[in-house]
Amino acid sequence: MTRGQWGCVAAPVGGLATGVVGAVLLAAAWRACDVGVNGAANGLALIFYGTLLAIISAAWWGVLIGYAGRWNLTVALLGGTVGAAVMVWIFVALLHVPNGYRC
């Protein structure tokens, strides 16, 4: 397998991991602030938001590893990790207090 093909392996794994981490952190924030109607409504929203984050993150991982990984795999992995962390931070920051609710 060439270095350029590592993006096909890293994209689904990195995207899924980022989506799961984002959904878990958002669920913890919602649970701490008692946000939502009930567990079923929150679960459906978390599945939707986590899937959306996973798709966006998988695209990020695939492009970064597939393109930058050809020259330096370490830099590509660090860039993917930092980018995923920023995505999760923005994801949780935007969605943890819907409608301005403060806990």
Side-chain angles (χ1 to χ4, degrees):
M1 183 180 296
T2 64
R3 283 188 173 185
Q5 294 172 335
W6 278 105
C8 295
V9 174
V13 173
L16 184 63
T18 304
V20 168
V21 167
V24 167
L25 289 175
L26 186 60
W30 284 358
R31 192 171 31 257
C33 295
D34 198 29
V35 172
V37 179
N38 58 26
N42 288 348
L44 185 61
L46 287 171
I47 289 171
F48 174 74
Y49 290 141
T51 303
L52 184 64
L53 179 64
I55 291 169
I56 293 169
S57 178
W60 167 256
W61 276 97
V63 168
L64 194 64
I65 300 294
Y67 182 71
R70 294 179 185 180
W71 293 281
N72 194 339
L73 191 58
T74 304
V75 170
L77 288 172
L78 287 174
T81 304
V82 169
V86 169
M87 282 184 222
V88 168
W89 177 69
I90 291 171
F91 175 76
V92 173
L94 290 176
L95 296 173
H96 84 285
V97 282
N99 299 326
Y101 177 79
R102 302 284 181 225
C103 63

